Amino acid sequence: MYSRLLVGGPKRPDTVADWFNVWCPNDAVAIGCPPADDWADGLTDLAVINARDRAHSIVEYLSHTEVARSAGGRLAL
């Protein structure tokens, strides 16, 4: 998938210090996750379980302490 979308394959943009990828196996939009095996560096993957009927809901994602903590920590910088 990545080779068709990105020239040279996937990589962390130089302007991004850390890439934190959160995904849910029930989230149809998250197809192709986890991407860590395909990325060269700078990627942290976290799988969470969201309610099946709200698998892609940002509220569901942010209800996980580790996700909210990571996002909040980045916003505080």
Side-chain angles (χ1 to χ4, degrees):
M1 174 179 80
Y2 289 118
S3 62
R4 293 187 311 243
L5 298 174
L6 301 171
V7 175
K11 69 179 186 74
R12 178 183 46 82
D14 294 334
T15 57
V16 175
D18 299 304
W19 191 290
F20 184 60
N21 182 64
V22 181
W23 64 285
C24 172
N26 298 333
D27 185 351
V29 178
I31 195 166
C33 285
D37 293 340
D38 299 314
W39 284 58
D41 67 346
L43 175 69
T44 300
D45 260 329
L46 175 65
V48 297
I49 302 299
N50 293 338
R52 188 170 290 282
D53 62 334
R54 295 181 309 276
H56 193 63
S57 166
I58 189 63
V59 173
E60 285 289 311
Y61 277 104
L62 290 173
S63 70
H64 298 278
T65 303
E66 58 272 40
V67 176
R69 184 177 294 127
S70 180
R74 298 301 189 266
L75 294 173
L77 296 177

